[in-house]
Amino acid sequence: MQILILCLSIILTAAQGVHQNTTFVFNHFNTTTTIKYVAAASIQSNAIRLTNHSERVIGRAYLDKAIPMKRNGSVISFSTSFIFAIVRHARSGWADGLCFVMTPTTALDGAFATQYLGLLNISSDGKDYNHLFAVEFDTSQSIGVDNKDGNHVGIDLNGVKSLLAEPAGYWEGNSLTPINLKSGHNIRAWIDYDGASKQLDISLAAIGEAKPQKALVSKKDLDLDGIIEEYMYVGFSASTGSSPLVEDHYILAWSFTTGSDKAPDLDILNLPSFYVKIPKFHNSNPPEQCICHSVLPQGFRDDNLLGYGGFGQVYRGTLPSGEEIAVKCITKDLAEGMEEFMAEISSLGRLQHQNLVPLGGWCRKNERIFIIYDYMSNGSLQRNLYSPELNLTWRHRHKILTDVASGLLYLHEQWDKKVVHRDIKPSNILLDYDLNGRVGDFGLARLYDHSQRPQTTHVVGTLGYIAPELIHSGKASPSTDVFSFGALMLEVACGRKPVDPEGVILVEWVWDLYANERLLDAIDQRLGKNYDKGEAEIVLVVGLICSNPDPQKRLGMRKVLQILCGEAALPMGLHVPSAF
Ligand SMILES: *[C@@H]1O[C@H](CO)[C@@H](O)[C@H](O)[C@H]1NC(C)=O
Ligand SMILES: *[C@@H]1O[C@H](CO)[C@@H](O)[C@H](O)[C@H]1NC(C)=O
Ligand SMILES: *[C@@H]1O[C@H](CO)[C@@H](O)[C@H](O)[C@H]1NC(C)=O
Ligand SMILES: *[C@@H]1O[C@H](CO)[C@@H](O)[C@H](O)[C@H]1NC(C)=O
Ligand SMILES: *[C@@H]1O[C@H](CO)[C@@H](O)[C@H](O)[C@H]1NC(C)=O
Ligand SMILES: *[C@@H]1O[C@H](CO)[C@@H](O)[C@H](O)[C@H]1NC(C)=O
Ligand SMILES: *[C@@H]1O[C@H](CO)[C@@H](O)[C@H](O)[C@H]1NC(C)=O
């Protein structure tokens, strides 16, 4: 095997204020490389792994010495090139990206993960004292951070709200070819700053492609003198989001120079690859048909009946491999007029997320439709919440709500098409072996859309969880799911149905307690004092906001998830809605 060449030449002059240029090249990284690893960053396969794909991980890696960045008080020219890879895993989403950074210290100083990219926190974000210069390669569409989409490159000065950002890609003549930052493939980046003209240029390209003639992000008159200090640490920072919005971040090679020259070239021939092929669900390929044929002869006996989900009975079964499954049998009458639905269900199978019940396959036999799911060994949230012998702790309840929020966010925003669930309620939330909450029955409400039967023109949903505008217009939207989730949050925290047998409306009761400053009296008595007061207040208040009859006043699922995870503050100025 060819020996990797590391050429490292750092010219550091001890005397301060003298003309000093810094130049280095790392064509790979190992334990002897002069890199300082901060927080979770480490070496893996001759690359820097800034973060793994656990949730809310921060990692930074810097050249181990601060370098002079000014001459006569002005920021000098610098140029850097590096190769990175952002790798996701099956059943996870993406978040949050990595940055090239210059910071005055290598200390974390209370930095947060997620959209703060391991650099800042909610109070330091945007403050002049940060002296932070960053170029972000952002893989997540951050709320309140005003970025375009989950695949962009931006210039960040002292804060994570980009001064300028562009969707990732590269120019060839007049055409911009998009680059998927989170493809898992190695990607090369160039950042050049000209101290004299104060122009910053950022470019991207696939490995093997030349540096584009025209930069992707280009900013003229960018005066960095107030941002960059005399001596700065240069390196990278990355962070992951809340599970499952996580990814691995790698830096495979890096060169840098100050002075007016361009960063030394990199050896691209000996790079590792972290690319992982994510298995896709395919419509009617042989394995799924096999699953069906091996499942159907088992018959559906009553002692295998798991329950009556929406649209049909659910039975427990076992594959020849021993794997346990749940099979939903869509009843014959509903199965009429469903050609379109058949096409759609195969696309539903491509929805893969750790907070959705995995859909393993489907088939059609004698005008019935069978949908095969992974078996969820801890049953439904409904059962766990109300059965006297089960006792869901606050920790479990909070985790399950966060899980459901994350699954819903995926349905609403993170897949190619917007999917509205339409029937969020405790019996449609399932708990796997580890008590992770998983959303079940997603997308099936569309059955009604494709059915010709007159009785199905009624609104899909369950009383107490249906948004008022859905009852009036019949039009489901992400916001009507948010309403249902609001009802679910209140229900899980209080251990009470949205409408109890005596006709008490849960949301009105909680508003009353809120108005009387006795909000926590709403918490399920069965928890006694064993719950986190701060979290309980957040769940109840967010539950109230999401249950607002006015869809404009509700939050989006991304914001809900961020608040539940403590990454965003509760909105201020809550008012009791005038009409329910
Ligand atoms: C680290 O890389 C350098 C430069 O390629 C090489 O000389 C050295 O043997 C490597 N060390 C280890 C422990 O692999
Ligand atoms: C990921 O890194 C964090 C921080 O170093 C660590 O606590 C966690 O165990 C790691 N997770 C995995 C799956 O390696
Ligand atoms: C820096 O400042 C000194 C004194 O003000 C001046 O003599 C020198 O020419 C300046 N150097 C540059 C590169 O501008
Ligand atoms: C936020 O960052 C600032 C500045 O780095 C730090 O002083 C402060 O303690 C951090 N806040 C939290 C809540 O960690
Ligand atoms: C630093 O680089 C600049 C531009 O290439 C050059 O003019 C200057 O002589 C260099 N200084 C040193 C100390 O090498
Ligand atoms: C979840 O289900 C598993 C398997 O049935 C069981 O061993 C475990 O005790 C259950 N966990 C809880 C908290 O009920
Ligand atoms: C439920 O668990 C809590 C601890 O989280 C305990 O205090 C309470 O007594 C339990 N209730 C029942 C009915 O088992």
Side-chain angles (χ1 to χ4, degrees), residues 442-465:
F442 47 89
L444 288 190
R446 283 171 185 257
L447 264 177
Y448 282 103
D449 291 352
H450 298 303
S451 171
Q452 306 302 308
R453 304 186 68 245
Q455 72 163 67
T456 62
T457 55
H458 71 242
V459 174
V460 174
T462 305
L463 200 66
Y465 306 90

PDB file of all heavy atoms in Angstrom, residues 442-465:
ATOM      1  N   PHE A 442     -48.887   5.880  10.204  1.00  0.00           N
ATOM      2  CA  PHE A 442     -48.648   7.116   9.467  1.00  0.00           C
ATOM      3  C   PHE A 442     -49.035   6.919   8.001  1.00  0.00           C
ATOM      4  O   PHE A 442     -48.810   5.881   7.414  1.00  0.00           O
ATOM      5  CB  PHE A 442     -47.183   7.547   9.573  1.00  0.00           C
ATOM      6  CG  PHE A 442     -46.197   6.449   9.332  1.00  0.00           C
ATOM      7  CD1 PHE A 442     -45.742   6.169   8.059  1.00  0.00           C
ATOM      8  CD2 PHE A 442     -45.733   5.677  10.398  1.00  0.00           C
ATOM      9  CE1 PHE A 442     -44.836   5.152   7.836  1.00  0.00           C
ATOM     10  CE2 PHE A 442     -44.834   4.652  10.185  1.00  0.00           C
ATOM     11  CZ  PHE A 442     -44.386   4.384   8.895  1.00  0.00           C
ATOM     12  N   GLY A 443     -49.640   7.933   7.467  1.00  0.00           N
ATOM     13  CA  GLY A 443     -49.970   7.921   6.041  1.00  0.00           C
ATOM     14  C   GLY A 443     -51.210   7.132   5.696  1.00  0.00           C
ATOM     15  O   GLY A 443     -51.756   7.278   4.617  1.00  0.00           O
ATOM     16  N   LEU A 444     -51.686   6.290   6.612  1.00  0.00           N
ATOM     17  CA  LEU A 444     -52.816   5.433   6.249  1.00  0.00           C
ATOM     18  C   LEU A 444     -54.124   6.203   6.113  1.00  0.00           C
ATOM     19  O   LEU A 444     -55.037   5.737   5.451  1.00  0.00           O
ATOM     20  CB  LEU A 444     -52.993   4.312   7.271  1.00  0.00           C
ATOM     21  CG  LEU A 444     -51.927   3.231   7.209  1.00  0.00           C
ATOM     22  CD1 LEU A 444     -52.325   2.075   8.086  1.00  0.00           C
ATOM     23  CD2 LEU A 444     -51.705   2.765   5.785  1.00  0.00           C
ATOM     24  N   ALA A 445     -54.184   7.370   6.715  1.00  0.00           N
ATOM     25  CA  ALA A 445     -55.422   8.147   6.608  1.00  0.00           C
ATOM     26  C   ALA A 445     -55.738   8.454   5.152  1.00  0.00           C
ATOM     27  O   ALA A 445     -56.877   8.710   4.795  1.00  0.00           O
ATOM     28  CB  ALA A 445     -55.302   9.438   7.406  1.00  0.00           C
ATOM     29  N   ARG A 446     -54.731   8.376   4.305  1.00  0.00           N
ATOM     30  CA  ARG A 446     -54.963   8.625   2.883  1.00  0.00           C
ATOM     31  C   ARG A 446     -55.843   7.558   2.250  1.00  0.00           C
ATOM     32  O   ARG A 446     -56.376   7.754   1.172  1.00  0.00           O
ATOM     33  CB  ARG A 446     -53.641   8.628   2.132  1.00  0.00           C
ATOM     34  CG  ARG A 446     -52.895   9.904   2.330  1.00  0.00           C
ATOM     35  CD  ARG A 446     -51.525   9.716   1.741  1.00  0.00           C
ATOM     36  NE  ARG A 446     -50.701  10.866   2.009  1.00  0.00           N
ATOM     37  CZ  ARG A 446     -50.431  11.795   1.099  1.00  0.00           C
ATOM     38  NH1 ARG A 446     -50.920  11.692  -0.104  1.00  0.00           N
ATOM     39  NH2 ARG A 446     -49.679  12.806   1.400  1.00  0.00           N
ATOM     40  N   LEU A 447     -55.969   6.440   2.924  1.00  0.00           N
ATOM     41  CA  LEU A 447     -56.900   5.415   2.456  1.00  0.00           C
ATOM     42  C   LEU A 447     -58.250   6.031   2.149  1.00  0.00           C
ATOM     43  O   LEU A 447     -58.873   5.731   1.162  1.00  0.00           O
ATOM     44  CB  LEU A 447     -57.128   4.410   3.576  1.00  0.00           C
ATOM     45  CG  LEU A 447     -56.316   3.146   3.604  1.00  0.00           C
ATOM     46  CD1 LEU A 447     -56.691   2.368   4.834  1.00  0.00           C
ATOM     47  CD2 LEU A 447     -56.563   2.346   2.352  1.00  0.00           C
ATOM     48  N   TYR A 448     -58.663   6.899   3.055  1.00  0.00           N
ATOM     49  CA  TYR A 448     -59.981   7.500   2.897  1.00  0.00           C
ATOM     50  C   TYR A 448     -60.056   8.360   1.640  1.00  0.00           C
ATOM     51  O   TYR A 448     -61.062   8.407   0.976  1.00  0.00           O
ATOM     52  CB  TYR A 448     -60.338   8.327   4.135  1.00  0.00           C
ATOM     53  CG  TYR A 448     -60.786   7.470   5.276  1.00  0.00           C
ATOM     54  CD1 TYR A 448     -59.954   7.196   6.339  1.00  0.00           C
ATOM     55  CD2 TYR A 448     -62.074   6.919   5.273  1.00  0.00           C
ATOM     56  CE1 TYR A 448     -60.373   6.403   7.394  1.00  0.00           C
ATOM     57  CE2 TYR A 448     -62.503   6.127   6.326  1.00  0.00           C
ATOM     58  CZ  TYR A 448     -61.651   5.872   7.384  1.00  0.00           C
ATOM     59  OH  TYR A 448     -62.073   5.096   8.419  1.00  0.00           O
ATOM     60  N   ASP A 449     -58.937   9.039   1.349  1.00  0.00           N
ATOM     61  CA  ASP A 449     -58.928   9.894   0.162  1.00  0.00           C
ATOM     62  C   ASP A 449     -59.181   9.088  -1.095  1.00  0.00           C
ATOM     63  O   ASP A 449     -59.747   9.586  -2.047  1.00  0.00           O
ATOM     64  CB  ASP A 449     -57.565  10.573  -0.009  1.00  0.00           C
ATOM     65  CG  ASP A 449     -57.334  11.603   1.067  1.00  0.00           C
ATOM     66  OD1 ASP A 449     -58.281  11.872   1.824  1.00  0.00           O
ATOM     67  OD2 ASP A 449     -56.214  12.117   1.131  1.00  0.00           O
ATOM     68  N   HIS A 450     -58.688   7.851  -1.101  1.00  0.00           N
ATOM     69  CA  HIS A 450     -58.757   7.084  -2.330  1.00  0.00           C
ATOM     70  C   HIS A 450     -59.956   6.154  -2.374  1.00  0.00           C
ATOM     71  O   HIS A 450     -60.184   5.477  -3.344  1.00  0.00           O
ATOM     72  CB  HIS A 450     -57.472   6.275  -2.513  1.00  0.00           C
ATOM     73  CG  HIS A 450     -56.280   7.157  -2.636  1.00  0.00           C
ATOM     74  ND1 HIS A 450     -56.193   8.113  -3.596  1.00  0.00           N
ATOM     75  CD2 HIS A 450     -55.157   7.245  -1.896  1.00  0.00           C
ATOM     76  CE1 HIS A 450     -55.048   8.751  -3.449  1.00  0.00           C
ATOM     77  NE2 HIS A 450     -54.410   8.252  -2.425  1.00  0.00           N
ATOM     78  N   SER A 451     -60.665   6.135  -1.294  1.00  0.00           N
ATOM     79  CA  SER A 451     -61.824   5.262  -1.262  1.00  0.00           C
ATOM     80  C   SER A 451     -63.022   5.988  -1.866  1.00  0.00           C
ATOM     81  O   SER A 451     -63.209   7.178  -1.681  1.00  0.00           O
ATOM     82  CB  SER A 451     -62.119   4.864   0.182  1.00  0.00           C
ATOM     83  OG  SER A 451     -63.352   4.201   0.215  1.00  0.00           O
ATOM     84  N   GLN A 452     -63.843   5.235  -2.589  1.00  0.00           N
ATOM     85  CA  GLN A 452     -64.999   5.853  -3.245  1.00  0.00           C
ATOM     86  C   GLN A 452     -66.234   5.829  -2.349  1.00  0.00           C
ATOM     87  O   GLN A 452     -67.258   6.375  -2.694  1.00  0.00           O
ATOM     88  CB  GLN A 452     -65.339   5.074  -4.538  1.00  0.00           C
ATOM     89  CG  GLN A 452     -64.169   4.912  -5.483  1.00  0.00           C
ATOM     90  CD  GLN A 452     -63.593   6.246  -5.909  1.00  0.00           C
ATOM     91  OE1 GLN A 452     -64.326   7.106  -6.359  1.00  0.00           O
ATOM     92  NE2 GLN A 452     -62.292   6.421  -5.758  1.00  0.00           N
ATOM     93  N   ARG A 453     -66.117   5.173  -1.215  1.00  0.00           N
ATOM     94  CA  ARG A 453     -67.331   4.948  -0.447  1.00  0.00           C
ATOM     95  C   ARG A 453     -67.816   6.228   0.224  1.00  0.00           C
ATOM     96  O   ARG A 453     -67.032   6.947   0.830  1.00  0.00           O
ATOM     97  CB  ARG A 453     -67.100   3.864   0.599  1.00  0.00           C
ATOM     98  CG  ARG A 453     -66.599   2.585  -0.069  1.00  0.00           C
ATOM     99  CD  ARG A 453     -66.490   1.455   0.915  1.00  0.00           C
ATOM    100  NE  ARG A 453     -67.796   1.037   1.387  1.00  0.00           N
ATOM    101  CZ  ARG A 453     -68.194   1.163   2.635  1.00  0.00           C
ATOM    102  NH1 ARG A 453     -67.423   1.691   3.532  1.00  0.00           N
ATOM    103  NH2 ARG A 453     -69.383   0.733   2.985  1.00  0.00           N
ATOM    104  N   PRO A 454     -69.154   6.493   0.111  1.00  0.00           N
ATOM    105  CA  PRO A 454     -69.665   7.762   0.632  1.00  0.00           C
ATOM    106  C   PRO A 454     -69.425   7.934   2.135  1.00  0.00           C
ATOM    107  O   PRO A 454     -69.106   9.019   2.575  1.00  0.00           O
ATOM    108  CB  PRO A 454     -71.164   7.703   0.325  1.00  0.00           C
ATOM    109  CG  PRO A 454     -71.444   6.425  -0.366  1.00  0.00           C
ATOM    110  CD  PRO A 454     -70.189   5.664  -0.522  1.00  0.00           C
ATOM    111  N   GLN A 455     -69.541   6.846   2.894  1.00  0.00           N
ATOM    112  CA  GLN A 455     -69.427   7.010   4.345  1.00  0.00           C
ATOM    113  C   GLN A 455     -68.026   7.503   4.752  1.00  0.00           C
ATOM    114  O   GLN A 455     -67.830   8.002   5.845  1.00  0.00           O
ATOM    115  CB  GLN A 455     -69.718   5.697   5.066  1.00  0.00           C
ATOM    116  CG  GLN A 455     -68.607   4.661   4.893  1.00  0.00           C
ATOM    117  CD  GLN A 455     -68.694   3.565   5.920  1.00  0.00           C
ATOM    118  OE1 GLN A 455     -69.623   2.779   5.922  1.00  0.00           O
ATOM    119  NE2 GLN A 455     -67.719   3.479   6.798  1.00  0.00           N
ATOM    120  N   THR A 456     -67.066   7.366   3.857  1.00  0.00           N
ATOM    121  CA  THR A 456     -65.707   7.750   4.222  1.00  0.00           C
ATOM    122  C   THR A 456     -65.439   9.227   4.001  1.00  0.00           C
ATOM    123  O   THR A 456     -64.349   9.683   4.197  1.00  0.00           O
ATOM    124  CB  THR A 456     -64.677   6.941   3.423  1.00  0.00           C
ATOM    125  OG1 THR A 456     -64.888   7.248   2.050  1.00  0.00           O
ATOM    126  CG2 THR A 456     -64.815   5.480   3.665  1.00  0.00           C
ATOM    127  N   THR A 457     -66.474   9.964   3.581  1.00  0.00           N
ATOM    128  CA  THR A 457     -66.240  11.399   3.435  1.00  0.00           C
ATOM    129  C   THR A 457     -66.161  12.081   4.802  1.00  0.00           C
ATOM    130  O   THR A 457     -65.782  13.226   4.886  1.00  0.00           O
ATOM    131  CB  THR A 457     -67.364  12.066   2.616  1.00  0.00           C
ATOM    132  OG1 THR A 457     -68.596  11.749   3.235  1.00  0.00           O
ATOM    133  CG2 THR A 457     -67.365  11.564   1.191  1.00  0.00           C
ATOM    134  N   HIS A 458     -66.480  11.359   5.861  1.00  0.00           N
ATOM    135  CA  HIS A 458     -66.359  12.007   7.173  1.00  0.00           C
ATOM    136  C   HIS A 458     -64.882  12.223   7.515  1.00  0.00           C
ATOM    137  O   HIS A 458     -63.994  11.629   6.931  1.00  0.00           O
ATOM    138  CB  HIS A 458     -67.085  11.210   8.259  1.00  0.00           C
ATOM    139  CG  HIS A 458     -66.423   9.916   8.615  1.00  0.00           C
ATOM    140  ND1 HIS A 458     -67.026   8.704   8.449  1.00  0.00           N
ATOM    141  CD2 HIS A 458     -65.206   9.642   9.128  1.00  0.00           C
ATOM    142  CE1 HIS A 458     -66.194   7.752   8.848  1.00  0.00           C
ATOM    143  NE2 HIS A 458     -65.102   8.300   9.253  1.00  0.00           N
ATOM    144  N   VAL A 459     -64.680  13.101   8.451  1.00  0.00           N
ATOM    145  CA  VAL A 459     -63.318  13.479   8.809  1.00  0.00           C
ATOM    146  C   VAL A 459     -62.611  12.329   9.510  1.00  0.00           C
ATOM    147  O   VAL A 459     -63.175  11.680  10.386  1.00  0.00           O
ATOM    148  CB  VAL A 459     -63.367  14.705   9.735  1.00  0.00           C
ATOM    149  CG1 VAL A 459     -61.992  15.038  10.256  1.00  0.00           C
ATOM    150  CG2 VAL A 459     -63.971  15.881   9.007  1.00  0.00           C
ATOM    151  N   VAL A 460     -61.383  12.079   9.089  1.00  0.00           N
ATOM    152  CA  VAL A 460     -60.568  11.087   9.775  1.00  0.00           C
ATOM    153  C   VAL A 460     -60.040  11.738  11.039  1.00  0.00           C
ATOM    154  O   VAL A 460     -59.660  12.894  11.040  1.00  0.00           O
ATOM    155  CB  VAL A 460     -59.372  10.689   8.894  1.00  0.00           C
ATOM    156  CG1 VAL A 460     -58.432   9.768   9.667  1.00  0.00           C
ATOM    157  CG2 VAL A 460     -59.857  10.013   7.637  1.00  0.00           C
ATOM    158  N   GLY A 461     -59.978  10.983  12.096  1.00  0.00           N
ATOM    159  CA  GLY A 461     -59.444  11.538  13.335  1.00  0.00           C
ATOM    160  C   GLY A 461     -60.267  11.055  14.496  1.00  0.00           C
ATOM    161  O   GLY A 461     -61.210  10.285  14.324  1.00  0.00           O
ATOM    162  N   THR A 462     -59.906  11.481  15.681  1.00  0.00           N
ATOM    163  CA  THR A 462     -60.566  10.998  16.870  1.00  0.00           C
ATOM    164  C   THR A 462     -60.947  12.206  17.708  1.00  0.00           C
ATOM    165  O   THR A 462     -60.134  13.114  17.894  1.00  0.00           O
ATOM    166  CB  THR A 462     -59.602  10.066  17.643  1.00  0.00           C
ATOM    167  OG1 THR A 462     -59.172   9.049  16.739  1.00  0.00           O
ATOM    168  CG2 THR A 462     -60.273   9.444  18.839  1.00  0.00           C
ATOM    169  N   LEU A 463     -62.168  12.203  18.191  1.00  0.00           N
ATOM    170  CA  LEU A 463     -62.680  13.336  18.947  1.00  0.00           C
ATOM    171  C   LEU A 463     -61.746  13.671  20.109  1.00  0.00           C
ATOM    172  O   LEU A 463     -61.243  12.787  20.790  1.00  0.00           O
ATOM    173  CB  LEU A 463     -64.079  13.018  19.473  1.00  0.00           C
ATOM    174  CG  LEU A 463     -64.869  14.265  19.840  1.00  0.00           C
ATOM    175  CD1 LEU A 463     -65.177  15.096  18.613  1.00  0.00           C
ATOM    176  CD2 LEU A 463     -66.137  13.887  20.586  1.00  0.00           C
ATOM    177  N   GLY A 464     -61.522  14.923  20.302  1.00  0.00           N
ATOM    178  CA  GLY A 464     -60.606  15.348  21.361  1.00  0.00           C
ATOM    179  C   GLY A 464     -59.228  15.641  20.804  1.00  0.00           C
ATOM    180  O   GLY A 464     -58.465  16.387  21.398  1.00  0.00           O
ATOM    181  N   TYR A 465     -58.916  15.041  19.660  1.00  0.00           N
ATOM    182  CA  TYR A 465     -57.605  15.252  19.048  1.00  0.00           C
ATOM    183  C   TYR A 465     -57.730  15.972  17.705  1.00  0.00           C
ATOM    184  O   TYR A 465     -56.747  16.267  17.064  1.00  0.00           O
ATOM    185  CB  TYR A 465     -56.875  13.921  18.820  1.00  0.00           C
ATOM    186  CG  TYR A 465     -56.768  13.071  20.064  1.00  0.00           C
ATOM    187  CD1 TYR A 465     -57.751  12.140  20.396  1.00  0.00           C
ATOM    188  CD2 TYR A 465     -55.677  13.210  20.922  1.00  0.00           C
ATOM    189  CE1 TYR A 465     -57.660  11.373  21.544  1.00  0.00           C
ATOM    190  CE2 TYR A 465     -55.571  12.441  22.074  1.00  0.00           C
ATOM    191  CZ  TYR A 465     -56.573  11.526  22.379  1.00  0.00           C
ATOM    192  OH  TYR A 465     -56.472  10.782  23.511  1.00  0.00           O
TER     193      TYR A 465
END
